[in-house]
Amino acid sequence: MKSTNISRKKRLRNILFVSFSICTLLIIRIGFVQFVQGSELQSMAYVQQTLNRKINPKRGTIYDSTGKNVLSVSASVETISINPGNIKKEDKEKVAKAMSEIFSLDYETVLKKVNKNSSIETIVKKVEKEQTDKLRVWMDENNIISGINIDEDTKRYYPYANLASNVIGFTGSDNQGLEGIESKYDDILKGETGKILKLTDATGTDLGNEGEDYIVAIDGDDIILSIDMTVQSIAEKYLEQACIDNECTDGGNIIIANPKTGDILALANYPGYDLNNPYKINKQDLEYVWDTLSSGDKSQALQQMWRNKAISDTYEPGSTFKVVTSSAALEEGITDTDNSGEFCCTGSINIAGTRIKCWRHYRPHGSESLRQALMNSCNPVFIGLRTKSWNRKIL
């Protein structure tokens, strides 16, 4: 009898010890989760229970100097995304098949996204409303009301395709400016992104309208250029003709400015490229070998095509600078326009051991005034005038 009581007490003591040990371990675990892992787990729960979808703003329009001709504009399109956890298991293959057919996508790729263990996956960006309407009809017919998101988006269009392509530039898939005006004034044009913040429970089920926060996107500001579309069109037309006629393999450019204000009315480059398809190379010889080029060579060719040579490349001013030299000499009173016989072209002139020739060195111009030297674009006269100006400055 006594032995039985001792045995019972021993078992009870053991049970109490085990219970106390388990409680102690649970308290330690709860403390560890609460104080050590608390912030990390809270962050993970927030990510799991919130669906954050961006709403792209409408990018500002780019106009020519008249404010009427649109050079770059954003049009409304739509982007399709999914919340894999909100699509029923028995509907996943059906959803993947429908989306791959409607938007001409690879079925296996779409199915992989539908089966992912993630909060949101983008299926296709910037599609026309005609296509997304087909998806809406299919969803209604198949009674699928959750897990598929159709959000408003914008897509950049260039009505005149090649016109002023190296000036305007283009945007990327996320509407960010990549080249030209689109890149330079991206902060003005892009606007502010909005978002839809939707709360879900642990299973991914929507909590209803009360769990949704909608932040409106703010559209970008418009820009008016000094470029005149008519002048630009004419400049590009005759530049192309001149480059073809004279076999200018490196292309060419024209800058037309208003002399009274300095406004650039036209800035033409040849060859240009299609702004609506900026990754299509504009040279036939490169097109033939494009697939054989390395990624580095392709990138270099595209950068060369997009480059605005009129402002990024360096050029010798040549005879155009004779106007500056003449103006400075007249302003300083070093000479006058019609002092007959003041200058003499002998065909060439020696400067610091280098002989610089006149373009008509084989039949020199002889005696000339400043006006005649300008008319003849005579190098020796303007080199002599520059030397004369320098000597006077020293004296």
Side-chain angles (χ1 to χ4, degrees), residues 44-53 83 85-86 118-120 146-147 149 197-208 210-213:
M44 290 172 64
Y46 178 82
V47 172
Q48 183 182 16
Q49 296 168 16
T50 57
L51 300 176
N52 191 347
R53 287 151 43 204
N83 311 121
N86 290 359
S118 59
S119 60
I120 190 165
S146 64
N149 311 307
L197 186 64
K198 183 177 288 188
L199 300 180
T200 67
D201 60 20
T203 65
T205 305
D206 294 346
L207 294 179
E210 65 276 5
E212 183 171 297
D213 187 14

Side-chain angles (χ1 to χ4, degrees), residues 76-94:
S76 294
V77 288
E78 292 179 313
T79 289
I80 310 300
S81 62
I82 59 169
N83 311 121
N86 290 359
I87 300 175
K88 295 178 181 178
K89 189 174 182 180
E90 60 269 22
D91 290 335
K92 288 184 179 289
E93 291 187 5
K94 186 164 56 174

Side-chain angles (χ1 to χ4, degrees), residues 165-205:
S165 56
N166 299 89
V167 177
I168 299 170
F170 57 92
T171 61
S173 59
D174 292 326
N175 290 322
Q176 77 278 23
L178 296 181
E179 289 289 335
I181 295 294
E182 295 277 25
S183 174
K184 178 68 176 179
Y185 297 101
D186 188 54
D187 289 342
I188 296 173
L189 291 164
K190 68 181 181 181
E192 294 183 22
T193 304
K195 65 180 179 180
I196 299 174
L197 186 64
K198 183 177 288 188
L199 300 180
T200 67
D201 60 20
T203 65
T205 305

Side-chain angles (χ1 to χ4, degrees), residues 13 19 25 91 99 103 147 150 166 181 191 216 250 255 271 297 377 387:
R13 191 165 53 245
S19 300
L25 290 173
D91 290 335
M99 287 188 170
F103 303 113
I150 303 176
N166 299 89
I181 295 294
V216 179
D250 291 332
I255 301 175
D297 289 338
S377 189
T387 304

